[in-house]
Amino acid sequence: MDLPIIDLIVFFVYMAAIVLFGISFSFKKRTALEYTTGGGRLPSWAIGMSIFATFVSSISFLALPGNAYLSNWNGFVFSLSIPFAAWIAVNYFVPLYRRLQSESAYFYLETRFGSWARVYASICYLLTQLARMGAIMYLLALPMNALFGWSIPLIIICTGVSVIIYAMLGGIEAVIWTDAIQGIVLIGGALLCLIVILFSMPNGPGEVFTIAAESDKFSLGSFQFNFVESTFWMILIYGLFINLQNFGIDQSYIQRYITAKTEKEAVQSTWLGSLLYVPVSLLFFFIGTALFSYYQAFPELLPSDLQLAENADKVFPYFIVSGLPKGVTGILIASIFAAGMSTVSTSINSSATVFLSDHYKKYIHKNATEKQSMRVLFMSSFFMGGASILVALAFNGVTSALDAWWALSSIFSGGILGLFLLAFIVKKASSKAAAIGVLCGVVVIGWMSLSAVVLKGTSLEGFQNTLHTNLTIVMGTLTIFIVGFILTSLFQKKK
């Protein structure tokens, strides 16, 4: 399928404008601290939009409509957990990190348990970001390849290089301001798309609701207390733990707390970014449901290969190309890339900050000059961006990149939240108790993530995990916290 020239122009103009806008921040003379925190002078609304854009990736932009098109709104329950996690964040996490005045999210773990905790958490974070950026760029390339025949490696390389350029040169200010713009673009593009679908229905917008209701498309899932399947309660608990991890120990979010001028503005930006995602994710789910109704009304417009369940994620991109007016298609494709680029740029900048603060200044050059620190930030941004491109290319050919990303993120990041909660809640928790807790948590995470593959067909098949894989982070976190808490009590009694 060929993309009209006007849409190509709109898309390439947008990409060029974002890169040039991001590069414009490189002309400012900055210290390393200003590069990573913006000097603590960024407006709360822009920081909030950046937090929102970090939530929304190309995975969300494509997978949420695809999920709603294929099934129902069960996945939206994840978004319903965000306000609870945000309330905890603004009351406890934001004040904590503002008080510590460290650009690293993992400095706090060192103050509680020693250097090993900071090293463990920061390395897990870097590995998680590599997997995340790789998955996002690869999943971004898939629909473009399917619809236009564009080369997957070429899309990955071009997208990755574009983001590396402005994220590396512009620092956190470039990331936040481009995130704010891209957040507005993707919301506007999604709204525009929904309006077109609603008013394209043969009997008016109301027909979307009629057809969808008949197929139970608005269901939030089963309310049974079943943690083997994707029920309402399973998704809610999973979402709460994931979002506590985001707000409590993810460098991408914590770095934004410090960029705000005051604690009050940091709180405002956290509320804005988190609460904005709830209606926008609802918008994405509604688009998927509306597409289902649209293609029920016009079945002849959907190619037979896209009617297969495994191709549900490609239905939304197909509609963007085939069902929207010329020019609007270019805006929507730009929106998809905006969702991916904003998340990748955030990961590049935050990863560079972690490398400088948690590793270079800690173990390599404790008294690094500003010039040396800036060089490290540039080089680590370039390295992480380049490595993420290689990871994305390695995903090419994987049966399910999304499943692979979920598995990798569970393994790499599942233990950090448990360690943080142990430090934050159990004030007398010892380093030894925390270390043993982490080891136990890693074993549980490994069992839940890999047992189904490793033990299948063996005599130990009966010992494989039967819980839903989304609960990996929940079980890993609880194991670390409970083991650490019990051992702390035992160690205190021996004294």
Side-chain angles (χ1 to χ4, degrees):
M1 186 179 295
D2 294 325
L3 191 65
I5 189 68
I6 183 64
D7 292 306
L8 281 172
I9 292 173
V10 169
F11 170 66
F12 284 117
V13 166
Y14 170 80
M15 292 286 286
I18 280 293
V19 173
L20 291 174
F21 178 68
I23 291 174
S24 69
F25 289 90
S26 66
F27 299 111
K28 292 185 176 182
K29 189 175 182 180
R30 295 159 299 176
T31 63
L33 188 62
E34 288 175 325
Y35 182 93
T36 57
T37 68
R41 58 175 179 264
L42 293 170
S44 59
W45 74 267
I47 300 170
M49 286 299 297
S50 181
I51 291 174
F52 160 74
T54 302
F55 263 115
V56 182
S57 67
S58 51
I59 296 175
S60 301
F61 205 101
L62 298 173
L64 297 189
N67 188 266
Y69 176 87
L70 183 63
S71 55
N72 52 35
W73 288 12
N74 178 233
F76 178 64
V77 178
F78 176 91
S79 300
L80 298 180
S81 71
I82 292 176
F84 299 102
W87 183 88
I88 295 172
V90 300
N91 282 281
Y92 300 102
F93 302 159
V94 172
L96 169 68
Y97 288 110
R98 293 282 301 187
R99 185 171 65 250
L100 289 173
Q101 283 297 305
S102 172
E103 65 270 28
S104 167
Y106 311 112
F107 170 74
Y108 174 66
L109 293 177
E110 182 180 25
T111 65
R112 294 288 285 108
F113 301 129
S115 298
W116 72 266
R118 184 175 183 176
V119 171
Y120 164 74
S122 60
I123 289 177
C124 284
Y125 176 78
L126 292 174
L127 291 172
T128 302
Q129 295 313 299
L130 280 176
R132 185 185 196 192
M133 290 187 287
I136 287 170
M137 285 192 283
Y138 174 64
L139 290 169
L140 178 65
L142 280 181
M144 301 301 119
N145 169 262
L147 295 174
F148 310 124
W150 296 354
S151 165
I152 289 179
L154 185 61
I155 296 171
I156 290 171
I157 292 170
C158 290
T159 305
V161 170
S162 298
V163 178
I164 289 171
I165 291 172
Y166 76 76
M168 178 177 70
L169 297 178
I172 190 68
E173 284 187 278
V175 170
I176 286 179
W177 282 110
T178 52
D179 279 359
I181 292 171
Q182 292 182 128
I184 294 169
V185 169
L186 70 90
I187 292 173
L191 282 171
L192 195 59
C193 190
L194 179 61
I195 290 169
V196 172
I197 297 172
L198 289 174
F199 288 94
S200 297
M201 297 298 291
N203 297 312
E207 191 176 7
V208 165
F209 297 90
T210 303
I211 295 175
E214 289 174 353
S215 300
D216 199 26
K217 285 292 180 178
F218 298 113
S219 170
L220 295 177
S222 169
F223 283 86
Q224 292 182 343
F225 285 97
N226 177 349
F227 297 103
V228 177
E229 300 173 353
S230 184
T231 62
F232 176 93
W233 299 110
M234 194 283 293
I235 296 293
L236 187 68
I237 293 171
Y238 164 73
L240 181 61
F241 275 73
I242 284 288
N243 287 304
L244 282 176
Q245 178 171 287
N246 289 339
F247 291 124
I249 206 68
D250 191 313
Q251 177 71 29
S252 306
Y253 292 78
I254 289 156
Q255 199 167 330
R256 277 152 181 73
Y257 302 161
I258 306 167
T259 60
K261 298 173 185 176
T262 64
E263 183 177 314
K264 181 180 179 181
E265 291 199 12
V267 167
Q268 290 173 346
S269 63
T270 303
W271 275 124
L272 172 62
S274 56
L275 294 185
L276 181 59
Y277 180 76
V278 178
V280 172
S281 64
L282 180 64
L283 171 62
F284 287 138
F285 277 99
F286 191 32
I287 286 173
T289 301
L291 283 171
F292 174 83
S293 298
Y294 178 82
Y295 286 117
Q296 288 292 306
F298 301 107
E300 70 281 1
L301 297 181
L302 189 65
S304 56
D305 60 317
L306 293 184
Q307 295 175 14
L308 301 174
E310 59 266 27
N311 289 329
D313 287 349
K314 297 176 183 177
V315 173
F316 185 29
Y318 175 79
F319 177 81
I320 289 172
V321 176
S322 63
L324 295 178
K326 291 181 180 179
V328 176
T329 295
I331 295 173
L332 263 295
I333 293 176
S335 299
I336 294 174
F337 275 82
M341 291 169 68
S342 60
T343 307
V344 172
S345 67
T346 294
S347 294
I348 289 175
N349 183 267
S350 58
S351 297
T353 304
V354 165
F355 186 81
L356 174 67
S357 179
D358 295 316
H359 298 278
Y360 185 79
K361 284 187 174 181
K362 181 77 177 166
Y363 300 105
I364 300 173
H365 202 318
K366 294 184 179 180
N367 299 311
T369 64
E370 285 296 332
K371 187 176 180 180
Q372 290 170 328
S373 296
M374 288 300 296
R375 187 183 300 123
V376 169
L377 287 169
F378 285 144
M379 290 176 63
S380 52
S381 295
F382 180 80
F383 170 78
M384 287 297 292
S388 69
I389 291 174
L390 295 178
V391 172
L393 294 172
F395 270 118
N396 200 359
V398 172
T399 304
S400 174
L402 197 56
D403 288 343
W405 149 241
W406 281 337
L408 289 172
S409 64
S410 296
I411 294 170
F412 293 149
S413 68
I416 308 178
L417 177 60
L419 187 60
F420 170 75
L421 292 178
L422 183 65
F424 189 77
I425 297 172
V426 186
K427 299 301 181 184
K428 294 183 179 180
S430 67
S431 177
K432 184 179 179 181
I436 296 173
V438 167
L439 287 174
C440 293
V442 169
V443 170
V444 170
I445 290 166
W447 167 68
M448 291 194 67
S449 302
L450 305 174
S451 64
V453 177
V454 176
L455 301 180
K456 188 175 182 179
T458 70
S459 58
L460 298 175
E461 187 171 353
F463 293 97
Q464 70 185 50
N465 170 48
T466 56
L467 294 174
H468 197 285
T469 52
N470 282 4
L471 291 177
T472 300
I473 183 176
V474 178
M475 298 305 295
T477 297
L478 291 177
T479 299
I480 293 171
F481 181 81
I482 292 171
V483 170
F485 177 77
I486 292 173
L487 289 179
T488 295
S489 301
L490 292 175
F491 293 158
Q492 287 177 342
K493 286 181 181 179
K494 287 183 179 180
K495 293 181 180 179

mmCIF file with all atom_site columns, all heavy atoms in Angstrom, residues 446-462:
data_model
loop_
_atom_site.group_PDB
_atom_site.id
_atom_site.type_symbol
_atom_site.label_atom_id
_atom_site.label_alt_id
_atom_site.label_comp_id
_atom_site.label_asym_id
_atom_site.label_entity_id
_atom_site.label_seq_id
_atom_site.pdbx_PDB_ins_code
_atom_site.Cartn_x
_atom_site.Cartn_y
_atom_site.Cartn_z
_atom_site.occupancy
_atom_site.B_iso_or_equiv
_atom_site.pdbx_formal_charge
_atom_site.auth_seq_id
_atom_site.auth_comp_id
_atom_site.auth_asym_id
_atom_site.auth_atom_id
_atom_site.pdbx_PDB_model_num
ATOM 1   N N   . GLY A 1 446 ? 12.475 -15.723 38.632 1.00 0.00 ? 446 GLY A N   1
ATOM 2   C CA  . GLY A 1 446 ? 12.977 -16.643 37.623 1.00 0.00 ? 446 GLY A CA  1
ATOM 3   C C   . GLY A 1 446 ? 12.055 -17.831 37.412 1.00 0.00 ? 446 GLY A C   1
ATOM 4   O O   . GLY A 1 446 ? 11.791 -18.240 36.277 1.00 0.00 ? 446 GLY A O   1
ATOM 5   N N   . TRP A 1 447 ? 11.534 -18.372 38.534 1.00 0.00 ? 447 TRP A N   1
ATOM 6   C CA  . TRP A 1 447 ? 10.607 -19.505 38.442 1.00 0.00 ? 447 TRP A CA  1
ATOM 7   C C   . TRP A 1 447 ? 9.331  -19.113 37.704 1.00 0.00 ? 447 TRP A C   1
ATOM 8   O O   . TRP A 1 447 ? 8.873  -19.822 36.802 1.00 0.00 ? 447 TRP A O   1
ATOM 9   C CB  . TRP A 1 447 ? 10.279 -20.000 39.849 1.00 0.00 ? 447 TRP A CB  1
ATOM 10  C CG  . TRP A 1 447 ? 9.120  -20.953 39.889 1.00 0.00 ? 447 TRP A CG  1
ATOM 11  C CD1 . TRP A 1 447 ? 9.082  -22.224 39.368 1.00 0.00 ? 447 TRP A CD1 1
ATOM 12  C CD2 . TRP A 1 447 ? 7.830  -20.714 40.462 1.00 0.00 ? 447 TRP A CD2 1
ATOM 13  N NE1 . TRP A 1 447 ? 7.848  -22.787 39.586 1.00 0.00 ? 447 TRP A NE1 1
ATOM 14  C CE2 . TRP A 1 447 ? 7.054  -21.887 40.263 1.00 0.00 ? 447 TRP A CE2 1
ATOM 15  C CE3 . TRP A 1 447 ? 7.261  -19.638 41.142 1.00 0.00 ? 447 TRP A CE3 1
ATOM 16  C CZ2 . TRP A 1 447 ? 5.739  -21.993 40.702 1.00 0.00 ? 447 TRP A CZ2 1
ATOM 17  C CZ3 . TRP A 1 447 ? 5.955  -19.746 41.585 1.00 0.00 ? 447 TRP A CZ3 1
ATOM 18  C CH2 . TRP A 1 447 ? 5.212  -20.911 41.371 1.00 0.00 ? 447 TRP A CH2 1
ATOM 19  N N   . MET A 1 448 ? 8.755  -17.961 38.049 1.00 0.00 ? 448 MET A N   1
ATOM 20  C CA  . MET A 1 448 ? 7.507  -17.534 37.418 1.00 0.00 ? 448 MET A CA  1
ATOM 21  C C   . MET A 1 448 ? 7.700  -17.187 35.947 1.00 0.00 ? 448 MET A C   1
ATOM 22  O O   . MET A 1 448 ? 6.806  -17.373 35.124 1.00 0.00 ? 448 MET A O   1
ATOM 23  C CB  . MET A 1 448 ? 6.922  -16.343 38.170 1.00 0.00 ? 448 MET A CB  1
ATOM 24  C CG  . MET A 1 448 ? 6.409  -16.685 39.551 1.00 0.00 ? 448 MET A CG  1
ATOM 25  S SD  . MET A 1 448 ? 5.366  -15.390 40.240 1.00 0.00 ? 448 MET A SD  1
ATOM 26  C CE  . MET A 1 448 ? 3.942  -15.435 39.167 1.00 0.00 ? 448 MET A CE  1
ATOM 27  N N   . SER A 1 449 ? 8.866  -16.662 35.602 1.00 0.00 ? 449 SER A N   1
ATOM 28  C CA  . SER A 1 449 ? 9.106  -16.210 34.228 1.00 0.00 ? 449 SER A CA  1
ATOM 29  C C   . SER A 1 449 ? 9.509  -17.343 33.297 1.00 0.00 ? 449 SER A C   1
ATOM 30  O O   . SER A 1 449 ? 9.139  -17.352 32.114 1.00 0.00 ? 449 SER A O   1
ATOM 31  C CB  . SER A 1 449 ? 10.201 -15.137 34.211 1.00 0.00 ? 449 SER A CB  1
ATOM 32  O OG  . SER A 1 449 ? 9.862  -14.045 35.019 1.00 0.00 ? 449 SER A OG  1
ATOM 33  N N   . LEU A 1 450 ? 10.278 -18.300 33.819 1.00 0.00 ? 450 LEU A N   1
ATOM 34  C CA  . LEU A 1 450 ? 10.921 -19.268 32.942 1.00 0.00 ? 450 LEU A CA  1
ATOM 35  C C   . LEU A 1 450 ? 10.473 -20.709 33.128 1.00 0.00 ? 450 LEU A C   1
ATOM 36  O O   . LEU A 1 450 ? 10.757 -21.553 32.288 1.00 0.00 ? 450 LEU A O   1
ATOM 37  C CB  . LEU A 1 450 ? 12.449 -19.203 33.132 1.00 0.00 ? 450 LEU A CB  1
ATOM 38  C CG  . LEU A 1 450 ? 13.087 -17.829 32.939 1.00 0.00 ? 450 LEU A CG  1
ATOM 39  C CD1 . LEU A 1 450 ? 14.566 -17.889 33.316 1.00 0.00 ? 450 LEU A CD1 1
ATOM 40  C CD2 . LEU A 1 450 ? 12.928 -17.351 31.507 1.00 0.00 ? 450 LEU A CD2 1
ATOM 41  N N   . SER A 1 451 ? 9.768  -21.022 34.237 1.00 0.00 ? 451 SER A N   1
ATOM 42  C CA  . SER A 1 451 ? 9.460  -22.430 34.530 1.00 0.00 ? 451 SER A CA  1
ATOM 43  C C   . SER A 1 451 ? 8.601  -23.078 33.454 1.00 0.00 ? 451 SER A C   1
ATOM 44  O O   . SER A 1 451 ? 8.770  -24.255 33.139 1.00 0.00 ? 451 SER A O   1
ATOM 45  C CB  . SER A 1 451 ? 8.785  -22.554 35.898 1.00 0.00 ? 451 SER A CB  1
ATOM 46  O OG  . SER A 1 451 ? 7.527  -21.886 35.903 1.00 0.00 ? 451 SER A OG  1
ATOM 47  N N   . ALA A 1 452 ? 7.659  -22.315 32.901 1.00 0.00 ? 452 ALA A N   1
ATOM 48  C CA  . ALA A 1 452 ? 6.766  -22.883 31.887 1.00 0.00 ? 452 ALA A CA  1
ATOM 49  C C   . ALA A 1 452 ? 7.541  -23.349 30.658 1.00 0.00 ? 452 ALA A C   1
ATOM 50  O O   . ALA A 1 452 ? 7.163  -24.314 29.994 1.00 0.00 ? 452 ALA A O   1
ATOM 51  C CB  . ALA A 1 452 ? 5.712  -21.865 31.481 1.00 0.00 ? 452 ALA A CB  1
ATOM 52  N N   . VAL A 1 453 ? 8.659  -22.649 30.365 1.00 0.00 ? 453 VAL A N   1
ATOM 53  C CA  . VAL A 1 453 ? 9.475  -22.996 29.197 1.00 0.00 ? 453 VAL A CA  1
ATOM 54  C C   . VAL A 1 453 ? 10.486 -24.078 29.545 1.00 0.00 ? 453 VAL A C   1
ATOM 55  O O   . VAL A 1 453 ? 10.649 -25.075 28.831 1.00 0.00 ? 453 VAL A O   1
ATOM 56  C CB  . VAL A 1 453 ? 10.218 -21.745 28.665 1.00 0.00 ? 453 VAL A CB  1
ATOM 57  C CG1 . VAL A 1 453 ? 11.132 -22.118 27.504 1.00 0.00 ? 453 VAL A CG1 1
ATOM 58  C CG2 . VAL A 1 453 ? 9.216  -20.690 28.233 1.00 0.00 ? 453 VAL A CG2 1
ATOM 59  N N   . VAL A 1 454 ? 11.169 -23.910 30.688 1.00 0.00 ? 454 VAL A N   1
ATOM 60  C CA  . VAL A 1 454 ? 12.262 -24.808 31.065 1.00 0.00 ? 454 VAL A CA  1
ATOM 61  C C   . VAL A 1 454 ? 11.752 -26.185 31.507 1.00 0.00 ? 454 VAL A C   1
ATOM 62  O O   . VAL A 1 454 ? 12.330 -27.210 31.162 1.00 0.00 ? 454 VAL A O   1
ATOM 63  C CB  . VAL A 1 454 ? 13.098 -24.168 32.204 1.00 0.00 ? 454 VAL A CB  1
ATOM 64  C CG1 . VAL A 1 454 ? 14.182 -25.135 32.673 1.00 0.00 ? 454 VAL A CG1 1
ATOM 65  C CG2 . VAL A 1 454 ? 13.734 -22.867 31.722 1.00 0.00 ? 454 VAL A CG2 1
ATOM 66  N N   . LEU A 1 455 ? 10.645 -26.204 32.269 1.00 0.00 ? 455 LEU A N   1
ATOM 67  C CA  . LEU A 1 455 ? 10.179 -27.459 32.858 1.00 0.00 ? 455 LEU A CA  1
ATOM 68  C C   . LEU A 1 455 ? 9.194  -28.224 31.975 1.00 0.00 ? 455 LEU A C   1
ATOM 69  O O   . LEU A 1 455 ? 8.896  -29.381 32.249 1.00 0.00 ? 455 LEU A O   1
ATOM 70  C CB  . LEU A 1 455 ? 9.514  -27.186 34.219 1.00 0.00 ? 455 LEU A CB  1
ATOM 71  C CG  . LEU A 1 455 ? 10.398 -26.517 35.279 1.00 0.00 ? 455 LEU A CG  1
ATOM 72  C CD1 . LEU A 1 455 ? 9.621  -26.318 36.568 1.00 0.00 ? 455 LEU A CD1 1
ATOM 73  C CD2 . LEU A 1 455 ? 11.654 -27.349 35.557 1.00 0.00 ? 455 LEU A CD2 1
ATOM 74  N N   . LYS A 1 456 ? 8.674  -27.564 30.945 1.00 0.00 ? 456 LYS A N   1
ATOM 75  C CA  . LYS A 1 456 ? 7.676  -28.208 30.095 1.00 0.00 ? 456 LYS A CA  1
ATOM 76  C C   . LYS A 1 456 ? 8.246  -29.477 29.447 1.00 0.00 ? 456 LYS A C   1
ATOM 77  O O   . LYS A 1 456 ? 9.318  -29.457 28.842 1.00 0.00 ? 456 LYS A O   1
ATOM 78  C CB  . LYS A 1 456 ? 7.196  -27.241 29.005 1.00 0.00 ? 456 LYS A CB  1
ATOM 79  C CG  . LYS A 1 456 ? 6.026  -27.778 28.198 1.00 0.00 ? 456 LYS A CG  1
ATOM 80  C CD  . LYS A 1 456 ? 5.517  -26.734 27.207 1.00 0.00 ? 456 LYS A CD  1
ATOM 81  C CE  . LYS A 1 456 ? 4.315  -27.269 26.439 1.00 0.00 ? 456 LYS A CE  1
ATOM 82  N NZ  . LYS A 1 456 ? 3.805  -26.254 25.481 1.00 0.00 ? 456 LYS A NZ  1
ATOM 83  N N   . GLY A 1 457 ? 7.503  -30.602 29.583 1.00 0.00 ? 457 GLY A N   1
ATOM 84  C CA  . GLY A 1 457 ? 7.933  -31.849 28.977 1.00 0.00 ? 457 GLY A CA  1
ATOM 85  C C   . GLY A 1 457 ? 8.916  -32.640 29.810 1.00 0.00 ? 457 GLY A C   1
ATOM 86  O O   . GLY A 1 457 ? 9.356  -33.722 29.402 1.00 0.00 ? 457 GLY A O   1
ATOM 87  N N   . THR A 1 458 ? 9.289  -32.124 30.996 1.00 0.00 ? 458 THR A N   1
ATOM 88  C CA  . THR A 1 458 ? 10.214 -32.823 31.884 1.00 0.00 ? 458 THR A CA  1
ATOM 89  C C   . THR A 1 458 ? 9.442  -33.440 33.046 1.00 0.00 ? 458 THR A C   1
ATOM 90  O O   . THR A 1 458 ? 8.245  -33.223 33.221 1.00 0.00 ? 458 THR A O   1
ATOM 91  C CB  . THR A 1 458 ? 11.282 -31.865 32.440 1.00 0.00 ? 458 THR A CB  1
ATOM 92  O OG1 . THR A 1 458 ? 10.665 -30.958 33.377 1.00 0.00 ? 458 THR A OG1 1
ATOM 93  C CG2 . THR A 1 458 ? 11.918 -31.055 31.317 1.00 0.00 ? 458 THR A CG2 1
ATOM 94  N N   . SER A 1 459 ? 10.157 -34.200 33.874 1.00 0.00 ? 459 SER A N   1
ATOM 95  C CA  . SER A 1 459 ? 9.527  -34.838 35.034 1.00 0.00 ? 459 SER A CA  1
ATOM 96  C C   . SER A 1 459 ? 9.121  -33.823 36.091 1.00 0.00 ? 459 SER A C   1
ATOM 97  O O   . SER A 1 459 ? 8.329  -34.135 36.986 1.00 0.00 ? 459 SER A O   1
ATOM 98  C CB  . SER A 1 459 ? 10.492 -35.853 35.654 1.00 0.00 ? 459 SER A CB  1
ATOM 99  O OG  . SER A 1 459 ? 11.708 -35.212 36.044 1.00 0.00 ? 459 SER A OG  1
ATOM 100 N N   . LEU A 1 460 ? 9.643  -32.584 35.987 1.00 0.00 ? 460 LEU A N   1
ATOM 101 C CA  . LEU A 1 460 ? 9.336  -31.529 36.955 1.00 0.00 ? 460 LEU A CA  1
ATOM 102 C C   . LEU A 1 460 ? 8.237  -30.592 36.449 1.00 0.00 ? 460 LEU A C   1
ATOM 103 O O   . LEU A 1 460 ? 8.026  -29.520 37.018 1.00 0.00 ? 460 LEU A O   1
ATOM 104 C CB  . LEU A 1 460 ? 10.598 -30.710 37.265 1.00 0.00 ? 460 LEU A CB  1
ATOM 105 C CG  . LEU A 1 460 ? 11.762 -31.479 37.903 1.00 0.00 ? 460 LEU A CG  1
ATOM 106 C CD1 . LEU A 1 460 ? 12.983 -30.583 38.036 1.00 0.00 ? 460 LEU A CD1 1
ATOM 107 C CD2 . LEU A 1 460 ? 11.358 -32.040 39.261 1.00 0.00 ? 460 LEU A CD2 1
ATOM 108 N N   . GLU A 1 461 ? 7.530  -31.010 35.400 1.00 0.00 ? 461 GLU A N   1
ATOM 109 C CA  . GLU A 1 461 ? 6.517  -30.138 34.790 1.00 0.00 ? 461 GLU A CA  1
ATOM 110 C C   . GLU A 1 461 ? 5.444  -29.713 35.786 1.00 0.00 ? 461 GLU A C   1
ATOM 111 O O   . GLU A 1 461 ? 4.881  -28.627 35.702 1.00 0.00 ? 461 GLU A O   1
ATOM 112 C CB  . GLU A 1 461 ? 5.868  -30.844 33.606 1.00 0.00 ? 461 GLU A CB  1
ATOM 113 C CG  . GLU A 1 461 ? 4.932  -29.953 32.809 1.00 0.00 ? 461 GLU A CG  1
ATOM 114 C CD  . GLU A 1 461 ? 4.470  -30.598 31.518 1.00 0.00 ? 461 GLU A CD  1
ATOM 115 O OE1 . GLU A 1 461 ? 4.972  -31.689 31.169 1.00 0.00 ? 461 GLU A OE1 1
ATOM 116 O OE2 . GLU A 1 461 ? 3.598  -30.013 30.843 1.00 0.00 ? 461 GLU A OE2 1
ATOM 117 N N   . GLY A 1 462 ? 5.189  -30.553 36.785 1.00 0.00 ? 462 GLY A N   1
ATOM 118 C CA  . GLY A 1 462 ? 4.172  -30.232 37.782 1.00 0.00 ? 462 GLY A CA  1
ATOM 119 C C   . GLY A 1 462 ? 4.533  -29.060 38.666 1.00 0.00 ? 462 GLY A C   1
ATOM 120 O O   . GLY A 1 462 ? 3.676  -28.509 39.370 1.00 0.00 ? 462 GLY A O   1
#
